[in-house]
Amino acid sequence: MDNVLVVLKALSDETRLRILKLLERGELCVCDIVAALGTAQPKVSFHLNALKDAGLIRDRKEGRWIHYSLDGSDIFRRFIVLSVLERTSDDMSSEDMKRLKEFMQ
């Protein structure tokens, strides 16, 4: 039961949903996520840790950079994330995607 509560709590925040929408398109460096959200790095890291603690994302370190991606290893969590993302409007992340594309150019 605790696992379910942790997952649902992680999904109850708009910033975390925006991060998941960004990661839906593939792996991103924390600096990419910061640029896309237009938010301070400590705040983004806080939300990334909540998503990671819930088992919804995973990280990979490359040099001094940490890259994040959706974690599809657990079928329950994968189903929940895909269901939430399917029901989350792309309008929510359109500005984030615009900022991300500008940052990556």
Side-chain angles (χ1 to χ4, degrees):
M1 181 62 120
D2 287 341
N3 266 349
V4 174
L5 294 176
V6 171
V7 169
L8 294 176
K9 183 176 179 181
L11 294 171
S12 69
D13 183 89
E14 181 181 349
T15 300
R16 292 193 276 267
L17 292 178
R18 290 169 60 199
I19 291 170
L20 291 174
K21 284 298 271 185
L22 290 168
L23 294 176
E24 180 179 39
R25 293 172 169 82
E27 182 181 75
L28 292 172
C29 175
V30 68
C31 61
D32 299 329
I33 298 168
V34 167
L37 297 179
T39 305
Q41 185 272 326
K43 182 177 179 182
V44 171
S45 291
F46 170 81
H47 290 294
L48 287 167
N49 283 329
L51 291 168
K52 187 178 172 193
D53 290 345
L56 302 176
I57 63 173
R58 61 178 166 221
D59 63 359
R60 173 182 71 80
K61 190 166 184 168
E62 184 177 303
R64 64 184 187 128
W65 301 108
I66 299 177
H67 299 266
Y68 291 89
S69 60
L70 296 178
D71 186 347
S73 63
D74 181 284
I75 193 70
F76 165 72
R77 287 177 176 86
R78 189 164 101 191
F79 177 75
I80 293 285
V81 168
L82 291 175
S83 297
V84 168
L85 292 176
E86 181 179 290
R87 288 165 180 78
T88 304
S89 168
D90 285 337
D91 293 341
M92 174 190 273
S93 65
S94 64
E95 288 298 314
D96 297 338
M97 288 307 298
K98 182 180 173 185
R99 282 189 297 273
L100 179 62
K101 286 178 186 176
E102 289 172 3
F103 177 75
M104 296 182 99
Q105 289 181 349

